[in-house]
Amino acid sequence: MKIKAEFAARNVRVMTKTKVTQFCDDGIIVQKEDGTEEKIEADTMINALGFRPAPVSVEMPNACVIGDATGAANILKAVAEGYKAANSI
Ligand SMILES: Cc1cc2nc3c(=O)[nH]c(=O)nc-3n(C[C@H](O)[C@H](O)[C@H](O)COP(=O)(O)OP(=O)(O)OC[C@H]3O[C@@H](n4cnc5c(N)ncnc54)[C@H](O)[C@@H]3O)c2cc1C
């Protein structure tokens, strides 16, 4: 199954050209392409953003740092770590 079909089948909302501006206790605030903000409520947030390694775990308890956030590597490592983190939720 192609990834877009997988997302649709699992009700995953894809938001392109959208920037996460804030993490809250009950979700995230995003800024959309037109400049408007939206709050997306969530119990669990998976942060798969950015290029530079970041000490996310220090700022967010129970955070699991994956992919290039732990250091530049490759897609296989990022996907494998994401899969492992998702299964641990
Ligand atoms: C030029 C280049 C070539 C590469 N070639 C290969 C290759 O051939 N094979 C291979 O296996 N690997 C390759 N890599 C490495 C691979 O791309 C990375 O290891 C992999 O993409 C890491 O995945 P990630 O999810 O951790 O981060 P990323 O893929 O970098 O994903 C992070 C995403 O977060 C987004 N983002 C950042 N901040 C925000 C925000 N505030 N709000 C919303 N979104 C945000 C970014 O736009 C980005 O889309 C290459 C890397 C580079 C730079």
Side-chain angles (χ1 to χ4, degrees):
M1 190 185 279
K2 294 228 161 76
I3 197 157
K4 283 185 179 176
E6 288 269 8
F7 285 159
R10 293 163 205 276
N11 287 327
V12 175
R13 182 177 170 200
V14 178
M15 301 176 73
T16 58
K17 299 185 178 173
T18 302
K19 182 177 182 178
V20 178
T21 55
Q22 194 179 332
F23 286 88
C24 317
D25 287 341
D26 57 350
I28 56 169
I29 309 286
V30 298
Q31 186 178 57
K32 295 187 277 189
E33 190 178 12
D34 63 6
T36 59
E37 290 197 327
E38 179 181 333
K39 180 167 185 178
I40 300 173
E41 295 186 0
D43 296 326
T44 302
M45 290 155 274
I46 299 175
N47 178 349
L49 316 172
F51 292 97
R52 276 167 291 173
V56 180
S57 57
V58 174
E59 298 157 22
M60 301 176 70
N62 303 320
C64 190
V65 183
I66 64 162
D68 279 9
T70 62
N74 57 51
I75 291 169
L76 191 63
K77 175 179 170 288
V79 170
E81 290 177 351
Y83 182 81
K84 193 175 164 191
N87 279 321
S88 72
I89 294 171

Short mmCIF file of all heavy atoms in Angstrom, two decimals, residues 25-60:
data_model
loop_
_atom_site.label_atom_id
_atom_site.label_comp_id
_atom_site.label_asym_id
_atom_site.label_seq_id
_atom_site.Cartn_x
_atom_site.Cartn_y
_atom_site.Cartn_z
N ASP A 25 0.49 21.11 27.21
CA ASP A 25 0.22 19.88 27.96
C ASP A 25 -0.79 19.00 27.25
O ASP A 25 -0.77 17.77 27.38
CB ASP A 25 -0.31 20.20 29.36
CG ASP A 25 0.79 20.75 30.25
OD1 ASP A 25 1.98 20.54 29.92
OD2 ASP A 25 0.46 21.40 31.24
N ASP A 26 -1.70 19.61 26.50
CA ASP A 26 -2.78 18.85 25.87
C ASP A 26 -2.77 18.93 24.35
O ASP A 26 -3.79 18.71 23.71
CB ASP A 26 -4.14 19.35 26.40
CG ASP A 26 -4.33 20.84 26.17
OD1 ASP A 26 -3.36 21.52 25.78
OD2 ASP A 26 -5.47 21.31 26.36
N GLY A 27 -1.61 19.24 23.76
CA GLY A 27 -1.55 19.26 22.30
C GLY A 27 -0.47 20.20 21.79
O GLY A 27 0.49 20.51 22.49
N ILE A 28 -0.65 20.63 20.56
CA ILE A 28 0.32 21.54 19.93
C ILE A 28 -0.41 22.70 19.26
O ILE A 28 -1.59 22.60 18.92
CB ILE A 28 1.19 20.83 18.86
CG1 ILE A 28 0.31 20.16 17.78
CG2 ILE A 28 2.14 19.85 19.48
CD1 ILE A 28 1.09 19.68 16.57
N ILE A 29 0.33 23.81 19.07
CA ILE A 29 -0.16 24.94 18.29
C ILE A 29 0.63 24.93 16.99
O ILE A 29 1.86 24.81 17.01
CB ILE A 29 0.08 26.29 19.00
CG1 ILE A 29 -0.43 26.25 20.44
CG2 ILE A 29 -0.52 27.43 18.19
CD1 ILE A 29 -1.92 26.31 20.61
N VAL A 30 -0.07 25.01 15.86
CA VAL A 30 0.61 25.08 14.57
C VAL A 30 0.25 26.37 13.86
O VAL A 30 -0.82 26.95 14.07
CB VAL A 30 0.25 23.87 13.66
CG1 VAL A 30 0.69 22.57 14.29
CG2 VAL A 30 -1.23 23.86 13.30
N GLN A 31 1.19 26.82 13.03
CA GLN A 31 0.94 27.98 12.18
C GLN A 31 0.86 27.48 10.74
O GLN A 31 1.80 26.83 10.25
CB GLN A 31 2.06 29.00 12.32
CG GLN A 31 1.77 30.29 11.56
CD GLN A 31 2.88 31.30 11.76
OE1 GLN A 31 4.04 31.02 11.46
NE2 GLN A 31 2.52 32.46 12.25
N LYS A 32 -0.25 27.77 10.09
CA LYS A 32 -0.47 27.29 8.73
C LYS A 32 0.08 28.27 7.70
O LYS A 32 0.50 29.38 8.04
CB LYS A 32 -1.96 27.02 8.53
CG LYS A 32 -2.43 25.88 9.44
CD LYS A 32 -3.83 25.45 9.19
CE LYS A 32 -4.80 26.36 9.91
NZ LYS A 32 -6.19 25.87 9.87
N GLU A 33 0.08 27.83 6.45
CA GLU A 33 0.69 28.63 5.37
C GLU A 33 0.10 30.03 5.30
O GLU A 33 0.81 30.99 5.01
CB GLU A 33 0.46 27.90 4.04
CG GLU A 33 1.25 28.51 2.90
CD GLU A 33 1.04 27.76 1.59
OE1 GLU A 33 0.13 26.91 1.52
OE2 GLU A 33 1.81 28.04 0.66
N ASP A 34 -1.20 30.17 5.59
CA ASP A 34 -1.84 31.49 5.50
C ASP A 34 -1.61 32.35 6.75
O ASP A 34 -2.16 33.44 6.87
CB ASP A 34 -3.34 31.33 5.23
CG ASP A 34 -4.07 30.61 6.36
OD1 ASP A 34 -3.44 30.33 7.40
OD2 ASP A 34 -5.28 30.35 6.21
N GLY A 35 -0.81 31.83 7.70
CA GLY A 35 -0.47 32.60 8.89
C GLY A 35 -1.40 32.35 10.07
O GLY A 35 -1.08 32.76 11.19
N THR A 36 -2.51 31.69 9.83
CA THR A 36 -3.44 31.41 10.94
C THR A 36 -2.90 30.28 11.81
O THR A 36 -2.15 29.42 11.34
CB THR A 36 -4.84 31.02 10.43
OG1 THR A 36 -4.72 29.86 9.61
CG2 THR A 36 -5.48 32.16 9.65
N GLU A 37 -3.29 30.31 13.09
CA GLU A 37 -2.86 29.27 14.02
C GLU A 37 -4.01 28.32 14.31
O GLU A 37 -5.17 28.69 14.22
CB GLU A 37 -2.37 29.91 15.32
CG GLU A 37 -1.06 30.66 15.14
CD GLU A 37 -0.37 30.93 16.46
OE1 GLU A 37 -1.07 31.14 17.47
OE2 GLU A 37 0.87 30.91 16.47
N GLU A 38 -3.65 27.10 14.66
CA GLU A 38 -4.66 26.09 15.03
C GLU A 38 -4.09 25.26 16.17
O GLU A 38 -2.91 24.92 16.16
CB GLU A 38 -4.96 25.19 13.83
CG GLU A 38 -5.98 24.11 14.14
CD GLU A 38 -6.26 23.20 12.95
OE1 GLU A 38 -6.10 23.63 11.79
OE2 GLU A 38 -6.64 22.03 13.20
N LYS A 39 -4.97 24.96 17.13
CA LYS A 39 -4.54 24.05 18.20
C LYS A 39 -5.01 22.65 17.85
O LYS A 39 -6.17 22.44 17.48
CB LYS A 39 -5.14 24.46 19.54
CG LYS A 39 -4.69 23.52 20.64
CD LYS A 39 -4.99 24.05 22.00
CE LYS A 39 -4.38 23.09 23.04
NZ LYS A 39 -4.59 23.56 24.39
N ILE A 40 -4.09 21.70 17.93
CA ILE A 40 -4.43 20.30 17.69
C ILE A 40 -4.28 19.57 19.02
O ILE A 40 -3.17 19.49 19.56
CB ILE A 40 -3.50 19.68 16.61
CG1 ILE A 40 -3.67 20.46 15.31
CG2 ILE A 40 -3.82 18.20 16.43
CD1 ILE A 40 -2.69 20.06 14.24
N GLU A 41 -5.40 19.10 19.54
CA GLU A 41 -5.36 18.43 20.83
C GLU A 41 -4.84 17.00 20.69
O GLU A 41 -5.15 16.32 19.71
CB GLU A 41 -6.76 18.45 21.46
CG GLU A 41 -7.19 19.88 21.78
CD GLU A 41 -8.50 19.96 22.54
OE1 GLU A 41 -9.09 18.90 22.82
OE2 GLU A 41 -8.91 21.09 22.84
N ALA A 42 -4.04 16.59 21.66
CA ALA A 42 -3.45 15.24 21.61
C ALA A 42 -3.02 14.79 22.99
O ALA A 42 -2.62 15.62 23.82
CB ALA A 42 -2.25 15.24 20.67
N ASP A 43 -3.12 13.50 23.23
CA ASP A 43 -2.60 12.92 24.47
C ASP A 43 -1.11 12.66 24.34
O ASP A 43 -0.36 12.79 25.30
CB ASP A 43 -3.29 11.58 24.77
CG ASP A 43 -4.77 11.75 25.02
OD1 ASP A 43 -5.15 12.79 25.59
OD2 ASP A 43 -5.54 10.85 24.64
N THR A 44 -0.70 12.27 23.14
CA THR A 44 0.69 11.92 22.88
C THR A 44 1.17 12.69 21.66
O THR A 44 0.46 12.77 20.66
CB THR A 44 0.82 10.41 22.60
OG1 THR A 44 0.32 9.70 23.72
CG2 THR A 44 2.27 10.01 22.36
N MET A 45 2.37 13.27 21.74
CA MET A 45 2.93 14.00 20.60
C MET A 45 4.24 13.34 20.17
O MET A 45 5.09 13.05 21.01
CB MET A 45 3.18 15.46 20.99
CG MET A 45 1.90 16.23 21.17
SD MET A 45 2.09 17.64 22.26
CE MET A 45 1.83 16.90 23.86
N ILE A 46 4.37 13.08 18.91
CA ILE A 46 5.60 12.52 18.37
C ILE A 46 6.29 13.63 17.58
O ILE A 46 5.78 14.09 16.57
CB ILE A 46 5.32 11.31 17.46
CG1 ILE A 46 4.62 10.21 18.28
CG2 ILE A 46 6.61 10.80 16.84
CD1 ILE A 46 4.19 9.04 17.47
N ASN A 47 7.41 14.07 18.10
CA ASN A 47 8.14 15.18 17.49
C ASN A 47 9.18 14.59 16.55
O ASN A 47 10.14 13.96 16.98
CB ASN A 47 8.80 16.00 18.62
CG ASN A 47 9.63 17.14 18.10
OD1 ASN A 47 9.90 17.23 16.92
ND2 ASN A 47 10.05 18.01 18.99
N ALA A 48 8.97 14.79 15.25
CA ALA A 48 9.92 14.28 14.25
C ALA A 48 10.42 15.45 13.43
O ALA A 48 10.44 15.42 12.21
CB ALA A 48 9.25 13.24 13.36
N LEU A 49 10.82 16.51 14.14
CA LEU A 49 11.14 17.77 13.47
C LEU A 49 12.61 18.14 13.59
O LEU A 49 13.26 17.77 14.55
CB LEU A 49 10.34 18.92 14.09
CG LEU A 49 8.87 18.66 14.37
CD1 LEU A 49 8.29 19.81 15.17
CD2 LEU A 49 8.13 18.48 13.07
N GLY A 50 13.07 18.89 12.62
CA GLY A 50 14.36 19.55 12.74
C GLY A 50 15.54 18.75 12.22
O GLY A 50 15.42 17.57 11.91
N PHE A 51 16.65 19.39 12.13
CA PHE A 51 17.85 18.79 11.58
C PHE A 51 18.96 18.63 12.61
O PHE A 51 19.75 17.72 12.53
CB PHE A 51 18.41 19.64 10.43
CG PHE A 51 17.52 19.65 9.22
CD1 PHE A 51 16.64 20.67 9.00
CD2 PHE A 51 17.56 18.62 8.31
CE1 PHE A 51 15.82 20.69 7.89
CE2 PHE A 51 16.74 18.61 7.20
CZ PHE A 51 15.86 19.66 6.98
N ARG A 52 19.02 19.56 13.55
CA ARG A 52 20.13 19.53 14.50
C ARG A 52 19.82 18.65 15.71
O ARG A 52 18.68 18.66 16.18
CB ARG A 52 20.44 20.95 15.00
CG ARG A 52 21.34 21.71 14.05
CD ARG A 52 21.35 23.15 14.41
NE ARG A 52 20.03 23.73 14.11
CZ ARG A 52 19.65 24.95 14.41
NH1 ARG A 52 20.44 25.75 15.05
NH2 ARG A 52 18.45 25.37 14.08
N PRO A 53 20.80 17.92 16.20
CA PRO A 53 20.58 17.17 17.44
C PRO A 53 20.12 18.14 18.53
O PRO A 53 20.65 19.24 18.65
CB PRO A 53 21.95 16.60 17.77
CG PRO A 53 22.69 16.59 16.47
CD PRO A 53 22.16 17.76 15.69
N ALA A 54 19.09 17.75 19.29
CA ALA A 54 18.56 18.65 20.31
C ALA A 54 18.29 17.86 21.59
O ALA A 54 17.79 16.75 21.53
CB ALA A 54 17.27 19.30 19.81
N PRO A 55 18.58 18.48 22.77
CA PRO A 55 18.34 17.79 24.04
C PRO A 55 16.86 17.84 24.43
O PRO A 55 16.49 18.38 25.45
CB PRO A 55 19.22 18.57 25.02
CG PRO A 55 19.26 19.95 24.45
CD PRO A 55 19.16 19.81 22.95
N VAL A 56 16.00 17.25 23.59
CA VAL A 56 14.55 17.32 23.80
C VAL A 56 14.16 16.68 25.13
O VAL A 56 13.29 17.18 25.83
CB VAL A 56 13.80 16.60 22.65
CG1 VAL A 56 12.30 16.66 22.87
CG2 VAL A 56 14.18 17.21 21.33
N SER A 57 14.83 15.59 25.48
CA SER A 57 14.44 14.85 26.68
C SER A 57 14.58 15.70 27.93
O SER A 57 13.90 15.48 28.92
CB SER A 57 15.25 13.58 26.80
OG SER A 57 16.62 13.89 26.83
N VAL A 58 15.50 16.68 27.89
CA VAL A 58 15.69 17.54 29.05
C VAL A 58 14.47 18.45 29.22
O VAL A 58 14.02 18.72 30.32
CB VAL A 58 16.97 18.40 28.88
CG1 VAL A 58 17.11 19.40 30.00
CG2 VAL A 58 18.19 17.49 28.80
N GLU A 59 13.90 18.88 28.08
CA GLU A 59 12.77 19.82 28.13
C GLU A 59 11.44 19.11 28.30
O GLU A 59 10.50 19.68 28.84
CB GLU A 59 12.73 20.64 26.83
CG GLU A 59 13.98 21.49 26.62
CD GLU A 59 14.19 21.82 25.16
OE1 GLU A 59 13.20 21.78 24.40
OE2 GLU A 59 15.33 22.12 24.78
N MET A 60 11.32 17.88 27.81
CA MET A 60 10.04 17.18 27.82
C MET A 60 10.20 15.81 28.46
O MET A 60 10.87 14.94 27.90
CB MET A 60 9.52 17.01 26.39
CG MET A 60 9.31 18.32 25.67
SD MET A 60 8.83 18.07 23.97
CE MET A 60 7.18 17.42 24.19
#
